Amino acid sequence: MKMIRYTLSLLLLIGTSAAMAQTGYKLQFYIEGLKDTTIYLGYYYGESTYVRDTAHIDSKGNFVFDGNKPLPRGVHFLILDRTRLFEFVIGKQQHFSMQTKNDDYVSNMKVQGDPDNQLFFENLRFNMDRNKEAEPYIKTLNNASATEADKAAAREAFTRINEKVLEHQKQLIQKNPELVTAKLINSGRKLDIPDAPVKANGFIDSTFQFRYYRAHFFDHFDLSDDAMIRMPRPMYSEKVNEYLDKLFVQQADTLLKATEWLITKARKNEETYKYMVWLLAQKYWNPEIMGLDEVFVNINDKYFASGQMDFWANANLKKSIQEQADRMRLSMVGKSAPNLILGDANKQMRALHDIKKKYTVLYIYDPECGHCKKETPKLVEFLNKTKHDVGVYTVCTDTSLVKMKKYIADMKMEKFTNTTFYYSAIGHYSKLYDAPTTPTIYIIDEKKKIIAKKFPGAERIEEFITNYERMIKAQASLK
C-alpha cells in the first residue's frame, strides 16, 4: 500500500514539475508540401504587422518556434516568401502542435494541445461550409432575371443560414468566454438594441435607442484586453474612433469626458492603457475639427507630462508631445490671442493688438504656397465686401522681403497689416500660434480672444462672424 502511495506521489511530483517547466512558448508545426526554407511568425498590432520569430523548415516539413517568454495573446500568422499562409490564435496555452497540408491549410488543419486553436479552425471550417451552403441563394438574389418568388425563397433560405451562424457564434462564446477565439468572434457581434419605451405622456422616447447604443457600445468588446489590439482588423482603433466621432458632439468639453472614460476602461491593463493613451494622442495631435486641440493638451498634461506614461514613453517622445501641446496651449479657441510684434515691408514693427477692429483675421501664409495663392484673393474679396468691422493681420513665412512685397502687390493686399516673421520682437511666431501648414487662419474678437482657429476657408468668414454674433445675442438674451 505504501509503495502505491509513493508511486502516486512521485507521479504527481513529475506531473507538477512538467507543468511548471512549460514556460515560454513552443509551437511545433508540420506542413506537408513545404521543405528546406525559412518561415516567419508574424503578428498584428493595431494597424501594423510585425515579425515575431524565425524558424527553418526541414526536409520533411517540420519546424518549431520557441522562446523563454510567453507570446502576447492575439492573432498571429505564418509568413513564407512575404506571403501570409494562415492565421491562428495565441492564447493561454502556448505549447501545442499543428499539422496541415499546403494545398489547403485550413481544411487540413489538425491541432493538438490547444483548445483555443482547435476552436479557431473548427469555426473557420463551419463558416466555409455555411458560405458554400449560401452560394446558390446569393446567386439567385443577384440574378436580375430571377422571379420574385424565387428571390423570396432564396432570401428566406439565406436568412435561415445566417441565423444558424449567429446561433453557432452565440453558443461558442457562451461555452468558451475566456478563449481568444471567442473574444475575436464576440468583438464583431452586432449589438441588439431594444425597442424604445413609451413615456408617461404617451410619446415614444425618441432618444432611447441612441442612448442605449452609446451606453452599451463596448458590451462585446473589452477595452482592457490587450488581445483585442492584435487582431487581423484594427478593431480596437476602429471601435474607439467610431465611439468618439459618431456618438458625441464634436466639442472639447464633451470629448474630454469621453476620452477620460475610455482611458479609465483601458487602464486595468498596462498594455491597453499605453495603447489607448497613444491612440488618442495621435488622433488629436492635429485635429481637423476646430477647438479639439484642448483634448490633446489634456492628454499631454495628465498622462505624459505627469509621468504616467514613463513606463514606455522615452524622453524624446515626451519632449515632442510637450512641444506640440505648448504650441496648441497658447492659441486654443477661447484663449487670449498672444500679441505678435513683427516687422512690415519697411521693417517697421507692427503689433497685432494695435488693430482696433471688432474682429481681426490673423492670416499666416507663404508666398510660394499654391494653396495660399488660391486663398489670399478670397481673403481680399472678403475684406472688400464684408459688412462687419474687420481688420486683417498677415504673417509672411518667407525670409525674402522682395517676395513679400511682390506678393502683396500682386494679391492687392494693401488694406491688410502685412508683416514678416523675419523681423520679430517676440521670437518666432510658431511659439505662440499653432500653424504647422500654410495658409492658417485665426479669427480674434475685439477683446483679443481667439474665436476660431485653423479656419477652413476665407470665403466662409463672413458667414462665421454673422452666426457668431447671433449666438452671442442669443446667449445674452438668456441671462
Side-chain angles (χ1 to χ4, degrees):
M1 189 70 175
K2 288 183 179 179
M3 180 64 72
I4 294 173
R5 286 178 181 172
Y6 292 151
T7 304
L8 287 173
S9 298
L10 183 60
L11 288 172
L12 286 171
L13 181 61
I14 293 171
T16 304
S17 299
M20 290 177 65
Q22 283 199 329
T23 57
Y25 67 96
K26 187 174 184 180
L27 317 180
Q28 301 179 74
F29 291 86
Y30 167 69
I31 301 180
E32 185 180 320
L34 300 183
K35 63 178 182 178
D36 300 324
T37 189
T38 300
I39 195 163
Y40 301 93
L41 175 64
Y43 68 101
Y44 300 97
Y45 191 88
E47 298 182 0
S48 303
T49 57
Y50 301 91
V51 171
R52 174 82 64 187
D53 203 349
T54 307
H56 178 75
I57 305 177
D58 67 17
S59 60
K60 297 180 180 179
N62 299 296
F63 58 97
V64 178
F65 296 107
D66 58 2
N68 296 325
K69 295 182 179 180
L71 295 170
R73 294 160 54 255
V75 178
H76 288 56
F77 51 88
L78 296 184
I79 312 166
L80 181 66
D81 296 330
R82 298 186 178 183
T83 301
R84 289 180 213 171
L85 303 187
F86 59 86
E87 296 170 342
F88 57 98
V89 295
I90 294 293
K92 184 177 180 181
Q93 175 56 260
Q94 299 193 11
H95 288 250
F96 57 82
S97 64
M98 306 178 80
Q99 177 179 326
T100 188
K101 299 178 182 179
N102 71 339
D103 60 346
D104 190 334
Y105 297 109
V106 175
S107 297
N108 295 311
M109 181 62 69
K110 295 178 182 178
V111 180
Q112 289 186 336
D114 181 24
D116 213 337
N117 271 302
Q118 289 175 351
L119 190 64
F120 181 80
F121 284 98
E122 285 172 7
N123 181 66
L124 286 178
R125 288 190 284 265
F126 176 87
N127 289 336
M128 288 166 60
D129 291 342
R130 299 294 75 73
N131 287 335
K132 190 173 182 179
E133 185 181 347
E135 281 179 5
Y137 306 117
I138 295 173
K139 188 175 180 180
T140 299
L141 291 170
N142 292 330
N143 187 356
S145 62
T147 66
E148 286 303 316
D150 288 341
K151 286 188 176 183
R155 194 174 296 110
E156 184 178 345
F158 182 78
T159 300
R160 286 197 299 269
I161 295 171
N162 190 53
E163 289 172 350
K164 191 186 300 183
V165 171
L166 294 176
E167 182 60 26
H168 168 77
Q169 291 178 347
K170 181 180 177 181
Q171 294 298 321
L172 185 154
I173 294 164
Q174 286 179 351
K175 293 176 181 178
N176 310 277
E178 297 304 315
L179 295 187
V180 173
T181 299
K183 292 176 180 291
L184 171 61
I185 295 169
N186 197 31
S187 67
R189 287 176 65 205
K190 184 179 178 182
L191 182 66
D192 292 327
I193 304 174
D195 293 333
V198 178
K199 296 190 289 188
N201 61 9
F203 291 98
I204 293 175
D205 186 347
S206 59
T207 65
F208 169 81
Q209 291 189 319
F210 172 79
R211 288 185 285 108
Y212 183 94
Y213 183 69
R214 188 166 72 180
H216 295 269
F217 188 78
F218 291 102
D219 278 8
H220 301 322
F221 194 97
D222 186 355
L223 289 168
S224 65
D225 187 347
D226 60 290
M228 307 314 297
I229 302 172
R230 303 179 191 91
M231 293 292 166
R233 270 178 53 202
M235 294 190 67
Y236 202 105
S237 60
E238 287 177 1
K239 294 285 284 187
V240 168
N241 286 330
E242 182 181 352
Y243 181 72
L244 293 172
D245 295 344
K246 296 184 178 180
L247 303 184
F248 290 91
V249 176
Q250 298 301 290
Q251 295 176 345
D253 289 346
T254 303
L255 291 173
L256 281 170
K257 294 176 183 177
T259 51
E260 284 300 312
W261 183 88
L262 288 169
I263 292 170
T264 299
K265 290 293 183 182
R267 196 168 190 160
K268 301 171 187 176
N269 179 316
E270 191 175 80
E271 187 66 23
T272 54
Y273 180 35
K274 173 186 79 173
Y275 185 79
M276 177 67 80
V277 171
W278 179 237
L279 177 66
L280 296 174
Q282 288 181 302
K283 181 175 180 64
Y284 295 107
W285 184 287
N286 188 25
E288 295 180 0
I289 297 175
M290 186 169 56
L292 298 190
D293 41 7
E294 187 176 348
V295 181
F296 180 86
V297 172
N298 178 70
I299 291 169
N300 170 71
D301 293 352
K302 193 165 184 178
Y303 299 101
F304 288 96
S306 68
Q308 290 196 35
M309 293 291 108
D310 284 359
F311 69 92
W312 72 274
N314 62 35
N316 288 334
L317 176 60
K318 288 181 64 179
K319 181 183 177 183
S320 177
I321 293 172
Q322 183 69 55
E323 289 174 348
Q324 176 69 355
D326 289 343
R327 277 192 294 270
M328 290 177 163
R329 193 188 312 278
L330 292 175
S331 58
M332 292 193 297
V333 173
K335 296 287 186 179
S336 295
N339 195 16
L340 294 176
I341 306 173
L342 305 175
D344 63 15
N346 298 314
K347 302 181 184 179
Q348 298 297 309
M349 305 310 287
R350 309 293 293 274
L352 173 66
H353 285 189
D354 284 347
I355 296 179
K356 306 303 181 184
K357 297 286 187 178
K358 191 172 183 181
Y359 300 99
T360 302
V361 174
L362 171 60
Y363 183 66
I364 302 169
Y365 72 94
D366 180 345
E368 299 294 330
C369 156
H371 191 187
C372 298
K373 291 175 181 178
K374 295 178 181 178
E375 197 67 23
T376 305
K378 297 176 185 177
L379 185 58
V380 171
E381 183 180 6
F382 156 74
L383 192 64
N384 288 334
K385 294 183 178 180
T386 183
K387 299 176 182 178
H388 300 287
D389 184 26
V390 182
V392 177
Y393 186 98
T394 72
V395 179
C396 176
T397 63
D398 197 290
T399 58
S400 171
L401 280 178
V402 174
K403 288 183 182 178
M404 174 183 165
K405 290 177 180 179
K406 184 177 187 304
Y407 191 84
I408 291 169
D410 290 347
M411 295 292 175
K412 299 179 174 58
M413 297 165 61
E414 291 80 7
K415 290 184 179 181
F416 298 171
T417 299
N418 297 297
T419 70
T420 171
F421 87 100
Y422 194 65
Y423 299 102
S424 173
I426 44 79
H428 202 283
Y429 74 90
S430 64
K431 298 293 183 182
L432 301 175
Y433 285 92
D434 181 26
T437 60
T438 55
T440 294
I441 297 175
Y442 282 79
I443 304 176
I444 302 164
D445 71 7
E446 59 186 332
K447 295 180 181 179
K448 303 308 176 188
K449 183 182 76 174
I450 297 170
I451 60 174
K453 175 179 181 177
K454 297 181 181 178
F455 196 76
E459 72 278 6
R460 297 171 61 183
I461 297 176
E462 182 78 13
E463 179 186 9
F464 172 81
I465 293 176
T466 300
N467 290 335
Y468 179 77
E469 292 194 339
R470 286 175 183 163
M471 181 190 73
I472 295 300
K473 288 178 182 179
Q475 289 175 347
S477 67
L478 295 175
K479 294 181 180 179

